[in-house]
Amino acid sequence: MDFRDGAHNLYHIIVAIGYLGLQLLWYFMQIIVSVWYHISIVGKLRYLAVVIESEEAHQTSKVIKLLQWLDSVGVKNVCLYDMNGVLKKSKDTIFQIMKNAKSIEEVNEDVTHHAPDHMTLEFVSYVDGKEAVAKAANLIFVENFKRHDIGGELDHQILLESHLNQALQIVGCKGPEPDLLLVYGPVRSHLGFPPWRIRYTEIVHMGSLNFMRYGSLIKAIYNFTKVRHNYGT
């Protein structure tokens, strides 16, 4: 009996050691993968946009979990968008949990040109896009009017994309153009995200936020980093 008890105890010790070894191996593999993603992503994914259907955007805990996943793999500049501005209303709660995050308004330099030691968050809604276009159009009209005599006939010039981009920049509505846009919701659409900011953006539909998966997120980012992007060509 003593021999059997000793052998039984030894067996459990060996199993426990083996289980601990596997846990340590998995832990170190996660560290290696995380470091690799940081190195790979920082250089290629400078700005990420996340579009969430407004009904699902009420799930603040899931939004925060998604941001934590992104932060863990080295994504530091994120634009959060929903049509109705639900995420804007939740930003105080998000910043309370995401201690390492700052609003884009707090960051003076161009966030896409460096790898910050914090996460930068931008909150955008459909109204922002409408107001931006209205301001830009008004500016273009005023500038066009100034070029002519008050009593003269206005030159009905063709509105070019370059004119709109310049006007948006002047009125302060020309935010960074995302490299990648992830859409969480039932519809395969960017749901009104400002179109002038996604001219060369890769768009990936991720399905419902209710069923978001870490593996799917990593796959989308990995696929993006493996594709050669020729912006503006």
Side-chain angles (χ1 to χ4, degrees), residues 210-224:
N210 294 315
F211 306 109
M212 69 176 190
R213 296 289 183 270
Y214 180 77
S216 299
L217 177 66
I218 295 301
K219 181 180 179 181
I221 295 174
Y222 174 79
N223 289 340
F224 170 82

Side-chain angles (χ1 to χ4, degrees), residues 68 71 93-102 118-119:
Q68 290 172 334
D71 189 30
T93 302
I94 292 174
F95 281 123
Q96 286 177 1
I97 303 298
M98 301 292 296
K99 302 293 186 183
N100 195 39
K102 293 183 179 180
H118 58 268
M119 175 175 269

Side-chain angles (χ1 to χ4, degrees), residues 154-188:
L154 289 177
D155 178 18
H156 299 289
Q157 64 178 19
I158 299 175
L159 179 60
L160 301 177
E161 183 180 346
S162 58
H163 296 150
L164 179 59
N165 287 335
Q166 184 180 20
L168 288 167
Q169 188 74 47
I170 293 173
V171 299
C173 299
K174 185 68 168 62
E177 295 185 15
D179 303 298
L180 175 64
L181 185 147
L182 303 179
V183 180
Y184 284 92
V187 181
R188 292 179 177 272

Side-chain angles (χ1 to χ4, degrees), residues 29-217:
M29 286 180 65
Q30 284 184 311
I31 293 177
I32 293 172
V33 171
S34 179
V35 170
W36 182 85
Y37 262 94
H38 271 76
I39 296 173
S40 176
I41 290 171
V42 167
K44 296 182 178 180
L45 186 51
R46 299 165 300 173
Y47 207 80
L48 172 71
V50 177
V51 171
I52 303 176
E53 195 274 329
S54 291
E55 284 299 317
E56 297 187 359
H58 286 284
Q59 303 179 74
T60 308
S61 60
K62 286 187 177 292
V63 175
I64 292 173
K65 174 57 93 176
L66 179 60
L67 290 173
Q68 290 172 334
W69 286 350
L70 291 170
D71 189 30
S72 70
V73 297
V75 178
K76 295 299 183 181
N77 301 311
V78 180
C79 175
L80 291 172
Y81 170 92
D82 76 283
M83 288 193 70
N84 297 336
V86 174
L87 294 168
K88 276 188 173 183
K89 297 175 183 176
S90 305
K91 68 179 182 179
D92 288 341
T93 302
I94 292 174
F95 281 123
Q96 286 177 1
I97 303 298
M98 301 292 296
K99 302 293 186 183
N100 195 39
K102 293 183 179 180
S103 170
I104 193 171
E105 288 81 10
E106 298 179 54
V107 182
N108 295 322
E109 66 269 32
D110 188 343
V111 296
T112 64
H113 288 168
H114 74 300
D117 56 0
H118 58 268
M119 175 175 269
T120 300
L121 299 180
E122 178 187 8
F123 293 85
V124 180
S125 67
Y126 182 70
V127 173
D128 297 317
K130 289 180 62 177
E131 291 179 349
V133 171
K135 289 179 181 178
N138 183 65
L139 177 64
I140 292 172
F141 175 80
V142 170
E143 291 298 319
N144 187 32
F145 188 85
K146 288 180 180 178
R147 293 192 186 100
H148 301 82
D149 296 331
I150 295 178
E153 183 179 353
L154 289 177
D155 178 18
H156 299 289
Q157 64 178 19
I158 299 175
L159 179 60
L160 301 177
E161 183 180 346
S162 58
H163 296 150
L164 179 59
N165 287 335
Q166 184 180 20
L168 288 167
Q169 188 74 47
I170 293 173
V171 299
C173 299
K174 185 68 168 62
E177 295 185 15
D179 303 298
L180 175 64
L181 185 147
L182 303 179
V183 180
Y184 284 92
V187 181
R188 292 179 177 272
S189 164
H190 59 71
L191 299 175
F193 189 92
W196 58 87
R197 292 183 59 177
I198 52 176
R199 296 173 300 166
Y200 311 113
T201 301
E202 182 174 330
I203 302 176
V204 179
H205 183 249
M206 302 295 290
S208 172
L209 188 71
N210 294 315
F211 306 109
M212 69 176 190
R213 296 289 183 270
Y214 180 77
S216 299
L217 177 66

Side-chain angles (χ1 to χ4, degrees), residues 10-24:
L10 180 60
Y11 170 77
H12 282 287
I13 292 173
I14 294 174
V15 170
I17 293 174
Y19 180 73
L20 179 60
L22 288 174
Q23 283 186 314
L24 289 173

